[in-house]
Amino acid sequence: MWSGQPHPDEGHPPPLEAVPVPWKSVGSCKSHRESLGSLVETPAGKEAQGEEDLAASRLDVLRLRSSSMEIREKGSEFLKEELHKAQKELRLKDAECERLSRVRTQLEQELEELTASLFEEAHKMVREANMKQAASEKQLKETRGKIDMLQAEVTALKTLVITSTPASPNRELHPQLLSPTKAGPRKGHLRHKSTSSALCPAVCPVVGHALTPDKEGKEVDMTLFAEFQAWRESPTLDKTSPFLERVYREDVGPCLDFTMQELSALVRAAVEDNTLTIEPAASQTLPAVKVAAVECGRTNTCALSGLACACRHRIRLGDSESHYYISPSSRARITAVCNFFTYIRYIQQGLVRQDAEPMFWEITRLRKEMSLAKLGFFPQEA
């Protein structure tokens, strides 16, 4: 018993037995069979057409797969070729970089060697230039020293010649004018600077004045001689040296210590600076000159000692136009100190070419003159 029409399966046409057919006549049955045959043939064609389409789609898929495989293989081969090319180029670049690195290292080494050689050559040239400069400066210094020595000698000789006139000849240049009893070391002069005093025979033998042989006994004081030798190794006018400090304390200071302290200090500074001038006073009446607290008028008064006496000489300090009249005793004290400074200046300038002992005895003689002058002893003028 059929309760209703059967449900056909999905994708399959319903079986013929399942289709209810009403019973009719033969003619109608025939026509019905024809129509039924047409109904049966239509689903079978559709199924065949679907299978063909499925096969075609599968074939297309296979074709696509084969073409994609070919493309993939060709792409892989192309990429491998490109990779090989890139690796080859990279190896070439590495080799080029290594070569350039070696070239750079070699150039740096050559540059360092060249720089070192240039610096060495430059230092060598600088050393040679410094040595030549030092030699030139030394030669220049020696030449200037010789020139200074010659100029000092010429100045001293000029001074000795200038101070000798027919009316008042210089007795150092003309020793025959000295009296027999006064042929000793007398330092008469008309115009006298501390550098223009008469030189000793060791310095200027052309003067023609030789010291008379001293018959007194002599003995070298080793302490004084040692101080003098130490000073002679590096002669200087610095008062701090033991030798000059002793001479200043024992001789120079007391010899230039006059009553008029202010003018005494000026005279001492002028003697040390070599700017003191002593010249003879005019024979006419002396002009009034005000010196410290002493006024020189018609009466001759010594500007240093303040004593009234015959002042035959006057002094001038540096470039000042003021003159100060001095007594023979004051002149002798100043002259003795000037003679000492003149001699040690010539020693400093290298003009005295003697051994240490004769130089020491000459300095001792000059110190003796300063001591005698300080005590009031001075030579009388002819």
Side-chain angles (χ1 to χ4, degrees):
M1 293 293 293
W2 297 94
S3 59
Q5 294 182 358
H7 296 282
D9 297 332
E10 292 180 4
H12 297 280
L16 295 179
E17 295 79 3
V19 179
V21 178
W23 298 98
K24 291 182 179 181
S25 59
V26 176
S28 60
C29 186
K30 185 179 181 179
S31 61
H32 180 69
R33 282 197 296 267
E34 291 178 356
S35 61
L36 184 60
S38 63
L39 291 173
V40 173
E41 290 177 356
T42 300
K46 289 183 178 180
E47 183 178 358
Q49 184 69 28
E51 291 179 356
E52 291 178 359
D53 294 339
L54 181 60
S57 63
R58 290 179 178 177
L59 183 61
D60 292 337
V61 169
L62 291 176
R63 288 177 180 176
L64 289 174
R65 286 182 178 178
S66 62
S67 61
S68 65
M69 291 295 291
E70 292 177 0
I71 293 172
R72 185 179 297 176
E73 290 177 358
K74 290 182 179 180
S76 177
E77 292 177 358
F78 176 76
L79 291 177
K80 287 180 179 179
E81 291 178 358
E82 292 295 326
L83 178 61
H84 290 160
K85 289 181 180 179
Q87 290 177 350
K88 185 177 180 180
E89 291 179 357
L90 183 60
R91 285 193 295 270
L92 293 176
K93 294 291 184 181
D94 291 339
E96 183 69 15
C97 290
E98 186 177 358
R99 186 183 68 82
L100 292 177
S101 178
R102 289 196 300 269
V103 171
R104 185 185 66 179
T105 303
Q106 184 178 0
L107 289 177
E108 289 178 352
Q109 185 177 0
E110 292 179 356
L111 181 61
E112 289 179 359
E113 294 177 356
L114 179 60
T115 304
S117 63
L118 289 176
F119 272 106
E120 184 178 358
E121 188 68 22
H123 285 307
K124 184 179 179 181
M125 294 175 63
V126 169
R127 285 195 302 269
E128 292 178 354
N130 290 336
M131 292 174 62
K132 290 181 180 180
Q133 183 179 2
S136 301
E137 290 178 355
K138 182 179 179 181
Q139 186 177 2
L140 178 62
K141 186 176 180 180
E142 292 177 355
T143 304
R144 286 179 176 175
K146 292 179 180 179
I147 292 174
D148 293 339
M149 290 169 56
L150 294 176
Q151 288 179 349
E153 291 179 355
V154 171
T155 302
L157 293 175
K158 282 183 178 181
T159 305
L160 292 174
V161 173
I162 290 174
T163 55
S164 179
T165 61
S168 180
N170 192 323
R171 290 173 178 78
E172 298 295 338
L173 290 176
H174 307 282
Q176 68 274 11
L177 298 179
L178 297 174
S179 60
T181 59
K182 300 174 182 177
R186 186 162 58 90
K187 302 295 186 295
H189 57 277
L190 295 180
R191 181 177 179 84
H192 176 83
K193 280 192 176 183
S194 57
T195 56
S196 63
S197 61
L199 304 179
C200 66
V203 179
C204 187
V206 299
V207 174
H209 173 68
L211 293 177
T212 58
D214 192 359
K215 296 181 180 180
E216 297 178 352
K218 294 189 294 185
E219 182 179 355
V220 176
D221 188 326
M222 298 308 299
T223 302
L224 300 180
F225 188 69
E227 292 177 353
F228 169 71
Q229 281 187 320
W231 175 84
R232 182 171 173 266
E233 291 178 358
S234 179
T236 178
L237 298 180
D238 189 6
K239 303 176 187 178
T240 58
S241 65
F243 169 67
L244 287 184
E245 192 273 333
R246 180 187 294 273
V247 175
Y248 267 91
R249 185 180 70 253
E250 296 179 358
D251 301 310
V252 176
C255 196
L256 296 181
D257 186 14
F258 295 98
T259 305
M260 303 302 173
Q261 294 294 325
E262 184 177 355
L263 184 58
S264 297
L266 296 176
V267 169
R268 178 172 175 174
V271 171
E272 293 174 355
D273 297 337
N274 196 20
T275 58
L276 177 71
T277 302
I278 302 178
E279 57 189 15
S283 58
Q284 63 269 20
T285 304
L286 299 178
V289 179
K290 200 170 186 179
V291 181
V294 179
E295 182 177 358
C296 299
R298 296 181 180 178
T299 59
N300 298 338
T301 304
C302 178
L304 291 171
S305 64
L307 300 176
C309 59
C311 297
R312 299 180 182 180
H313 294 84
R314 61 183 184 178
I315 60 174
R316 181 162 54 89
L317 307 178
D319 297 331
S320 176
E321 296 298 331
S322 301
H323 293 82
Y324 304 93
Y325 293 89
I326 58 175
S327 64
S329 176
S330 299
R331 172 182 171 272
R333 292 165 67 174
I334 296 174
T335 303
V337 177
C338 289
N339 290 340
F340 171 77
F341 275 103
T342 299
Y343 188 67
I344 64 173
R345 284 194 184 97
Y346 280 125
I347 294 176
Q348 183 189 21
Q349 295 170 5
L351 299 178
V352 182
R353 303 180 183 277
Q354 281 186 327
D355 295 333
E357 188 172 351
M359 295 168 62
F360 174 75
W361 282 117
E362 178 62 21
I363 288 178
T364 304
R365 185 187 67 80
L366 295 173
R367 293 184 63 185
K368 178 182 176 181
E369 287 188 359
M370 286 190 285
S371 299
L372 292 175
K374 174 62 177 68
L375 295 174
F377 295 97
F378 59 92
Q380 294 288 341
E381 296 187 10

